[in-house]
Structures are given as structure tokens and as C-alpha cells.
Amino acid sequence: MNKTNCYLYTRVSTAMQVDGYSLDAQRDKLVKYAEFQEMNIVREYTDEGKSGKSIEGRPEFRRMLADIEAGTDHVSYVLVFKLSRFGRNAADVLSSLQRMQDYGVNLICVEDGIDSSKDSGKLMISVLSAVAEIERENILVQTMEGRRQKAREGKWNGGFAPYGYKLVDGYLEIAEDEAEIIRLIFEKYVTTSMGLGGVAKDLNSHGYHKKMRDNGKLDVFTSSFIKRVLDNPVYCGKLAYGRRKSEKVNGTRNQYHMVPQADYPVYEGVHEAIISEETWLAARAKRQQTGKKTEKVYSLDHSHLLSGVLKCPVCGGCMYGSVNRKKKKDGSFYADYWYYACSHRRYANGSRCTFSRQIHQKELNTAVEEFIKRIVHNMQFDSAIKERMSEKTDVDQLSREAENIRKTIRRLTAAKEKLGAQIDALDCTDPHYQQKDTDLQQRLNRMYDEIAEANAAYEEVCRQIQDIREQRLSGKKVYQFLELFDIMYEKFTDSEKKEFLASFIREVEIWPERQKNGQILKSLRFRFPVYYQGQMTDQIFPNKETTVETVCLLSHL
């Protein structure tokens, strides 16, 4: 009599699985079952150290399905030790089973006593796989609810302490060497007309340095750092829960990403506040008022090229771009006159900047563009460019750090899956079942905390990378633009010109009054050193000859 052909499939989530569920133990059970049922084992497939959450990470499982679909060995059954070895994702289990049954192959789970060739067996597979997935989701929900309850009680929920605080036995305590900066940030933002960038610049220019931490490698203040400080209620003695939420990526099954939330609960914290609640609310009100962008209606292709880098010669604040729109009698406009003007920043004593001149954009834009052309036409500039392009940037180091954290997250996630597998594999008839289950659940909860901390560290590194990129484009890209400035710049749109100039120029300074020789441009400060007049420098003061020539060029326009 011909024996029924079958495949054996074994899997463990770890190389050293718990007793009773090792690869050898699984195979031994399956071989004995096949012998008892007089089945012929044609081939064996083993995935060692592979998670059961998806078939994508299990090459042997996918090879087995391919062999079944190809009819390689004309098998009738696949034998597995338990259903959890076949898979732990309900959708994958049922989908894989359906693929097998389409080719006349059924599944037998030896330990569970399930045979999918029987109606009751297929129903049992559907129920057990769904229950296993629900249990895993419940573990996550329970863990997250525990974190929410901790927030309700005003306790810190893990991760790095926010700047201005330190962690002592799991509780936040004020770090006075950092808290001074936090108070300054709120004071400057609330009591002056400074914005995020203005506060950051003011701190940096007055010699303040941001303390470097494990989750913060920059010692300078950036607008994004100021924004995070101002938006965090922790500084007025409260704790926010759920400001970012892990959400499933649309179109995927197992991919998630962190999404900022507009609404989230805020609880009274047990930690000491650094600033008053009134100060925090005042900062929040200003953020809501100034954090909105106005939508452009006219001249959509026009951009104020130097806004953000052009500084007022009196107060040093950023000058903004505006337009004088000439209209006809019927209400339609026929001409736009663009200019730069001071935003009249309010000083700490309450007075405002008095610089009232309006600078024609075309004149100043052209003066800056012509001066840049003179810099890049220098013969030694080309060699300086190539030397600069070979230098590494801080982003490289931070990117490596981000990759290391990603590896940590993957390792922790794999460990979490292994714990889930061990929980799935517990024998409810074991006299120590309850204790084992409790121990594993506690370990799983701690694992979720570690993953949350790693995710927070990863987000912080990504923010640091963004901080650096906000201050400058990569040196290589900028210098490549500069090499071909004459060719590329004229082909740029206004918005592209503005982006390029902002990546290259840190500040443009002008004279309060036009000089006798016609000079209006006082200095250009660059984001990195450039070669000029025999040396590398990051600030250039145009000489009289250059300025006179520039004015002459302007007169012919």
C-alpha cells in the first residue's frame, strides 16, 4: 500500500528555544506522528530564529509553499508541531492554508490535534489564529493603558528627560544648569517680538551653549529646539500623553510610523515646574498666532529672495518682503514694486526699531548676485571648493547613530516577538503556568518600555539631523551649485533662488544710509568659509571698487 506523502515544517523564534519546543523536540514529535500514521516524509523545512508574525521573513516556509504549488513531491499534508509554528498572524495563517488547499494539501497540527482536511479542523485554525493575534494586541493595549495610567498619576513615562530636567530614580528633577536656559527661552519669546529663530540666534550670539547629552549632540540652539521647548507643557509642571501616536502605514500590514497628534490629554505632574503656567500659556498663544502661514494670492511666482537673511541695520532683526501694488481706476493692478522693510522688532524695554527706509528688492538682489559671481570667478575658488567637498559633515555621524538605534529597535522588536512566542507556547496544564505567564508578561511590559525609549532616541537623532540641514545644505551640493552659478542660477525659479541663497548665505547686512560711493551692501556672512582675497573667511565686506562697479551695472538695467 502506498503511503501518503507529507512535508515537515519546524520553526523557532530563537536559536535556543524553551524546553519542549526546540527544533529537535518538534521534529521528534512530527517523525513519530508520521510513523504512527504511516506517512512518508518527503522533505523537511526549518526556519531557525525566525518570527512567525509574517511569512516574509521565513525563507524556508516560502520555499515549502512554492514546492507545493509546483507539485514537486505530490504531498497531501504538511505536519507542524503546533499552529503557532505555522504562523502567528491570523491573515497569514489563513492565506497560506488556502494556498496549500488550492493544490490539495492540508495542514495537521500534531500537538493541537487539528486536521484542516476536516471541517472542524479548519474552523479551529481560524479561531485559534485569531485568538492568538487578539491576545498579542491585548498585551500591547494593556501596556499602553499602564503608561497612560502612569501619566494620569503625574509620573514620567520613560525615555530621556526633557532638557532642563534630569531623571532621579525614575522621577523628573530640575537640572539647574539647563533650567536657566529654559527660563531665558520663555522670557525672550514672551516678552519680545522675537520668533523661534530670533530666540535661537540671540542665545547663540550671547555665548550660551546647549549642554550636550546622549540624546542631543549639538551644542548650539536651533529654531526646532526652541519650538519643542515652547510646545512642551512639562515645563509648567504638567505631563502630556500621546503627543505622538504610532499609526499603521496605509497599504502595509506590519509597518508603523509616529504621527504628531493635534489633541492629547495633559495631566498634572508630580515634578516641579520651571516656569509658571501663565508664562507657558502666553507662549502657546503667541505660537498659535504666529505659527500660521498666510496663503499667497498675487504674484505666485515671485519670492522675496533675501527675506530671512537680510538684517535691519538698526535692530538686527530680519527684514521682510512686501509689495506696493499700483492699481488702475477700475480696480485692476498693472504694476508691482517689491521692497524690503524692517519688521520693527520690539526691544526688551518695550520700544520699537526706528528704521523706516524701504529697500528696492531688484537693486539689492542684483547687488548680492553680482557679488557672489565675483567670488566664484576667482581662480583659487575652484580648488577651495574641491577641498571643501571632501570634508565630512556632522550628518554622517548622526546618520550612523540613527542606524545603530534602528538596529537596537529591530533587536528589541525581535526579542519582543520571541517573548510573545514563549507566551504562545505555554502549556495551560502546567502547574506553574500562571507564574510563568506572569513572569513573561512582566518581561514583555519592560520590553515595550525599552522600545518606546529607543523610538524616542531615534526621533531625537532625526530631529538633530534636520537641525543641521536647516542650517546648511550639504557642502557638496552647495559648492556644486556655486561652481556652475552663472549657468544654473538664471534657470532657477524665484523659490529655487531663495532656497539656494538661504543655504549659502547666513546674513546680508546693509548700511542704514547709502554711502557716498553709492554703496548699500555692507557685508555678506556665509554659512561656511569661502575663498576671497587670498584667505578662507565666512564674512566678506565688499570694497569700494566692487561696490562702485556693481552700482554701475545696476544703472544700465
Side-chain angles (χ1 to χ4, degrees):
M1 182 177 69
N2 292 332
K3 291 185 177 182
T4 302
N5 289 340
C6 69
Y7 285 156
L8 303 188
Y9 177 73
T10 53
R11 179 186 67 82
V12 289
S13 297
T14 62
M16 297 298 291
Q17 188 61 282
V18 293
D19 290 343
Y21 299 100
S22 66
L23 291 174
D24 290 339
Q26 290 179 48
R27 183 182 181 281
D28 183 58
K29 289 257 187 179
L30 297 180
V31 169
K32 289 179 180 178
Y33 180 87
E35 291 175 351
F36 180 76
Q37 296 293 337
E38 297 184 344
M39 292 182 176
N40 180 40
I41 301 172
V42 181
R43 204 182 301 268
E44 299 179 23
Y45 303 84
T46 297
D47 280 315
E48 183 174 358
K50 305 295 181 183
S51 169
K53 68 176 181 180
S54 168
I55 69 171
E56 299 303 321
R58 294 188 283 158
E60 284 293 284
F61 187 86
R62 287 187 283 109
R63 188 167 71 88
M64 179 184 71
L65 293 181
D67 288 344
I68 289 173
E69 292 173 351
T72 305
D73 299 300
H74 305 289
V75 296
S76 300
Y77 289 96
V78 170
L79 304 186
V80 297
F81 177 60
K82 293 187 71 172
L83 181 60
S84 62
R85 302 304 91 201
F86 188 75
R88 298 198 297 113
N89 178 291
D92 274 350
V93 167
L94 298 178
S95 173
S96 300
L97 178 59
Q98 188 60 57
R99 286 176 63 182
M100 288 166 46
Q101 291 186 324
D102 288 344
Y103 292 89
V105 179
N106 279 287
L107 175 69
I108 292 178
C109 307
V110 174
E111 189 74 5
D112 298 324
I114 297 174
D115 184 345
S116 70
S117 63
K118 301 174 183 177
D119 291 339
S120 60
K122 189 169 184 179
L123 175 62
M124 186 63 69
I125 288 174
S126 300
V127 172
L128 288 179
S129 57
V131 167
E133 188 163 354
I134 290 171
E135 285 180 349
R136 285 190 301 277
E137 292 299 323
N138 283 340
I139 291 170
L140 178 59
V141 170
Q142 290 166 10
T143 301
M144 292 302 104
E145 183 56 35
R147 295 172 68 85
R148 180 187 292 273
Q149 180 58 35
K150 199 172 181 181
R152 288 194 194 103
E153 296 171 359
K155 299 175 182 177
W156 184 243
N157 239 319
F160 292 107
Y163 197 88
Y165 287 96
K166 58 186 176 182
L167 277 177
V168 179
D169 297 328
Y171 288 87
L172 294 179
E173 290 189 5
I174 293 178
E176 281 301 335
D177 56 337
E178 297 177 351
E180 176 192 3
I181 294 296
I182 299 299
R183 297 186 187 101
L184 274 174
I185 288 172
F186 278 95
E187 179 186 351
K188 291 178 181 294
Y189 187 76
V190 171
T191 62
T192 72
S193 61
M194 292 184 196
L196 303 177
V199 173
K201 178 187 173 183
D202 189 78
L203 291 173
N204 291 327
S205 63
H206 283 83
Y208 291 101
H209 295 282
K210 184 160 70 71
K211 185 178 177 181
M212 297 177 68
R213 301 160 139 226
D214 290 339
N215 64 327
K217 303 298 183 184
L218 292 178
D219 64 350
V220 296
F221 295 97
T222 62
S223 56
S224 58
F225 173 81
I226 304 299
K227 176 181 178 294
R228 292 197 299 274
V229 168
L230 295 172
D231 290 347
N232 197 340
V234 72
Y235 296 111
C236 66
K238 299 182 183 296
L239 285 176
Y241 178 82
R243 289 199 296 163
R244 293 180 298 275
K245 182 180 179 183
S246 178
E247 293 184 0
K248 186 173 175 291
V249 178
N250 287 335
T252 68
R253 180 170 295 171
N254 295 305
Q255 294 183 30
Y256 292 83
H257 62 159
M258 301 301 292
V259 179
Q261 302 297 300
D263 296 315
Y264 47 84
V266 177
Y267 305 104
E268 290 291 338
V270 297
H271 62 282
E272 185 180 353
I274 293 177
I275 51 118
S276 69
E277 185 173 352
E278 291 150 341
T279 300
W280 189 83
L281 290 174
R284 181 177 177 82
K286 183 177 177 180
R287 286 276 297 122
Q288 291 174 337
Q289 182 180 4
T290 61
K292 299 177 182 177
K293 290 186 178 179
T294 55
E295 191 170 343
K296 204 172 182 182
V297 178
Y298 299 106
S299 304
L300 300 181
D301 58 343
H302 179 273
S303 289
H304 310 295
L305 303 189
L306 300 178
S307 63
V309 297
L310 179 60
K311 302 301 180 181
C312 171
V314 175
C315 70
C318 289
M319 298 182 72
Y320 68 93
S322 191
V323 61
N324 183 3
R325 183 163 287 116
K326 301 294 185 181
K327 294 187 178 182
K328 297 179 180 178
K329 291 182 179 180
D330 62 3
S332 62
F333 71 90
Y334 65 90
D336 284 340
Y337 296 91
W338 303 95
Y339 57 88
Y340 295 111
C342 179
S343 57
H344 300 294
R345 186 177 71 176
R346 185 187 297 275
Y347 296 106
N349 62 7
S351 61
R352 287 186 177 275
C353 175
T354 57
F355 185 72
S356 58
R357 284 192 60 203
Q358 295 180 345
I359 312 298
H360 286 288
Q361 290 192 12
K362 186 175 181 180
E363 176 183 357
L364 192 56
N365 291 348
T366 305
V368 170
E369 291 162 2
E370 290 295 331
F371 190 68
I372 293 175
K373 287 179 183 178
R374 293 185 176 277
I375 296 173
V376 300
H377 284 167
N378 188 293
M379 291 295 293
Q380 291 176 289
F381 186 78
D382 184 64
S383 60
I385 285 175
K386 290 180 171 55
E387 180 181 348
R388 182 72 180 182
M389 283 196 299
S390 66
E391 295 179 4
K392 296 291 183 182
T393 67
D394 295 339
V395 174
D396 296 330
Q397 179 181 350
L398 288 171
S399 296
R400 288 192 294 272
E401 186 174 343
E403 179 57 31
N404 289 335
I405 296 175
R406 276 198 295 266
K407 289 178 181 177
T408 299
I409 292 172
R410 288 195 291 268
R411 176 179 59 77
L412 290 171
T413 302
K416 174 175 69 70
E417 294 295 336
K418 293 169 187 175
L419 281 175
Q422 292 182 44
I423 292 172
D424 288 345
L426 287 177
D427 184 358
C428 61
T429 63
D430 187 331
H432 304 294
Y433 170 80
Q434 191 60 49
Q435 186 59 50
K436 289 181 179 179
D437 181 68
T438 300
D439 291 344
L440 289 175
Q441 293 286 4
Q442 289 176 349
R443 287 172 58 190
L444 190 62
N445 288 343
R446 289 194 295 270
M447 194 68 67
Y448 275 115
D449 286 338
E450 291 182 42
I451 292 173
E453 290 183 12
N455 278 322
Y458 178 71
E459 289 180 30
E460 180 62 29
V461 171
C462 289
R463 283 195 289 264
Q464 291 178 48
I465 292 174
Q466 183 61 32
D467 287 344
I468 292 175
R469 287 173 176 165
E470 282 179 1
Q471 296 176 64
R472 66 178 188 275
L473 266 67
S474 68
K476 183 175 182 180
K477 185 176 181 181
V478 174
Y479 280 115
Q480 284 173 338
F481 276 143
L482 288 174
E483 274 192 304
L484 304 173
F485 183 82
D486 285 348
I487 301 172
M488 298 182 67
Y489 188 78
E490 296 306 321
K491 296 180 180 180
F492 285 170
T493 63
D494 271 9
S495 60
E496 289 171 334
K497 287 179 180 179
K498 180 177 180 179
E499 181 182 0
F500 167 68
L501 290 174
S503 69
F504 178 43
I505 300 172
R506 185 183 299 278
E507 286 183 4
V508 175
E509 291 184 321
I510 58 174
W511 294 104
E513 297 291 339
R514 190 183 296 276
Q515 304 297 287
K516 291 181 180 180
N517 61 0
Q519 183 176 357
I520 186 173
L521 189 61
K522 181 179 180 182
S523 75
L524 292 178
R525 184 183 295 275
F526 301 102
R527 294 188 178 275
F528 41 75
V530 297
Y531 187 88
Y532 183 70
Q533 294 185 342
Q535 62 180 349
M536 297 296 289
T537 179
D538 65 355
Q539 187 172 19
I540 298 176
F541 297 87
N543 56 37
K544 294 181 180 180
E545 291 77 16
T546 300
T547 307
V548 171
E549 291 173 6
T550 302
V551 173
C552 292
L553 287 170
L554 289 171
S555 65
H556 288 86
L557 294 176

